[in-house]
Amino acid sequence: MRLLFLAVLRRHTGNAVTAERVREHLEAAGHICLLKDTSDLESSSEIAHFIKAEKLEAALALHLYRGGRLLQGHGIPFGIIFGGTDLNEDINQREKNQVMGKVLEEARFAVAFTESMKEMAQMQWVDPVFTREVKAKVKRTPGVRLLREMPQEDLHAALKNCFAVLNSSVSEGMSAAILEAMDLEVPVLARNIPGNAAVVKHEVTGLLFSDPQEFVQLAKRLVSDPALEKEIVANGKEYVRMYHSWQVERDTYQNLICTLEGSTEE
Ligand SMILES: *[C@@H]1O[C@H](CO)[C@@H](O)[C@H](O)[C@H]1NC(C)=O
């Protein structure tokens, strides 16, 4: 493949060395890799022209913000390699942060040099490859709609109009959404993983399923058994009132802070 490799190439910097090394790897695999300094190709039209003139088929950028940004919208696939400043500096500036999120959505892959850089990126921008997969899948599935984030009041209003709230997560955590549904008296159907099982007791405060077949079976049961629905909803509401109340949380934090007061006096 004929590749454009865009990087910040000030001489004798770590970047230049890294870029050169990556270029060698790619050329060793038979690709043609044109390594360019971002300062030589600064405008989008210059890049478009270069891509066309050199018949480039794909691109790579070292630095998401300084390089990746310039590769957007040229109609060729590209990947990016995170640079240190992406995650140490640029991430903290709102506009740059948003630009980087957009670049990541378009990028086919992203490389981070360390596990901690990867985690930081994943935390900032909720995994672009996965996001793309989910969006594509939802598009192909009739009856399923993907909604963007919305203000909490709107979400609660929408929730109240739902027959049930489903949590099919396979990764652990603590679901505030489930507790909110319980508080709003909407029945909960959740995958049986420890995080969910900690708040949903099967057939008491909600229904737990382990696989798609069981989900279908329980959903049908919930639809056809109003007494069960009523009981689950009542128990859920009571559970939230007892164990997750705003007042209890307030008291707990206020008490915990008091324990700090004592220790500073000594
Ligand atoms: C679903 O459940 C998981 C595990 O408890 C939790 O981390 C996640 O936030 C929940 N998501 C929703 C939308 O309820």
Side-chain angles (χ1 to χ4, degrees):
M1 243 188 321
R2 292 180 65 80
L3 299 163
L4 165 63
F5 187 5
L6 212 51
V8 182
L9 292 174
R10 244 169 302 123
R11 273 179 162 277
H12 310 302
T13 58
N15 273 332
V17 175
T18 304
E20 194 54 45
R21 198 174 60 245
V22 173
R23 189 182 65 80
E24 280 170 22
H25 292 324
L26 297 173
E27 299 221 313
H31 300 294
I32 295 188
C33 185
L34 305 182
L35 181 56
K36 281 282 177 187
D37 192 322
T38 47
S39 61
D40 289 339
L41 284 176
E42 257 185 314
S43 74
S44 184
S45 60
E46 262 177 88
I47 292 184
H49 181 76
F50 187 72
I51 289 173
K52 211 169 156 202
E54 293 288 343
K55 299 196 168 54
L56 300 169
E57 298 154 277
L60 183 65
L62 173 58
H63 263 111
L64 179 50
Y65 185 74
R66 298 182 192 174
R69 176 171 56 103
L70 304 169
L71 295 177
Q72 283 180 288
H74 293 298
I76 57 169
F78 65 86
I80 66 104
I81 304 169
F82 282 107
T85 46
D86 286 328
L87 296 168
N88 298 330
E89 292 168 27
D90 296 340
I91 203 171
N92 299 321
Q93 295 185 32
R94 219 174 124 228
E95 265 168 49
K96 289 186 177 180
N97 186 315
Q98 281 174 356
V99 169
M100 289 196 279
K102 283 264 180 308
V103 177
L104 274 177
E105 276 178 31
E106 212 180 304
R108 290 278 177 92
F109 63 81
V111 177
F113 290 124
T114 65
E115 201 56 37
S116 73
M117 281 171 87
K118 181 175 154 189
E119 274 166 25
M120 211 195 285
Q122 277 176 340
M123 234 158 62
Q124 266 312 302
W125 304 288
V126 198
D127 190 338
V129 176
F130 183 62
T131 306
R132 243 193 331 263
E133 278 171 18
V134 171
K135 283 188 179 161
K137 185 119 194 179
V138 164
K139 239 190 199 156
R140 291 196 303 267
T141 318
V144 177
R145 275 181 59 200
L146 189 64
L147 298 180
R148 292 194 63 85
E149 308 85 338
M150 57 172 97
Q152 198 183 36
E153 310 90 77
D154 294 356
L155 179 67
H156 285 179
L159 266 183
K160 273 197 220 172
N161 279 314
C162 291
F163 176 71
V165 163
L166 166 67
N167 183 307
S168 61
S169 178
V170 287
S171 60
E172 286 312 327
M174 156 80 191
S175 175
I178 289 181
L179 296 175
E180 287 173 340
M182 286 178 177
D183 193 46
L184 295 168
E185 303 180 53
V186 181
V188 172
L189 274 152
R191 191 186 297 275
N192 194 356
I193 55 172
N196 288 340
V199 289
V200 179
K201 194 158 178 229
H202 186 58
E203 294 180 330
V204 179
T205 54
L207 297 172
L208 293 172
F209 59 89
S210 301
D211 52 45
Q213 292 73 25
E214 202 179 358
F215 162 69
V216 172
Q217 183 204 329
L218 289 172
K220 283 183 177 164
R221 189 170 146 207
L222 190 62
V223 174
S224 62
D225 189 345
L228 174 71
E229 186 201 332
K230 218 171 146 194
E231 198 186 314
I232 285 177
V233 161
N235 291 338
K237 177 93 183 167
E238 180 61 13
Y239 171 79
V240 172
R241 196 183 65 81
M242 298 261 294
Y243 299 103
H244 296 277
S245 84
W246 180 86
Q247 192 59 49
V248 172
E249 183 178 75
R250 169 173 280 206
D251 294 346
T252 305
Y253 279 108
Q254 288 177 348
N255 287 330
L256 285 171
I257 291 299
C258 287
T259 69
L260 302 180
E261 260 166 16
S263 55
T264 52
E265 278 166 21
E266 282 163 33

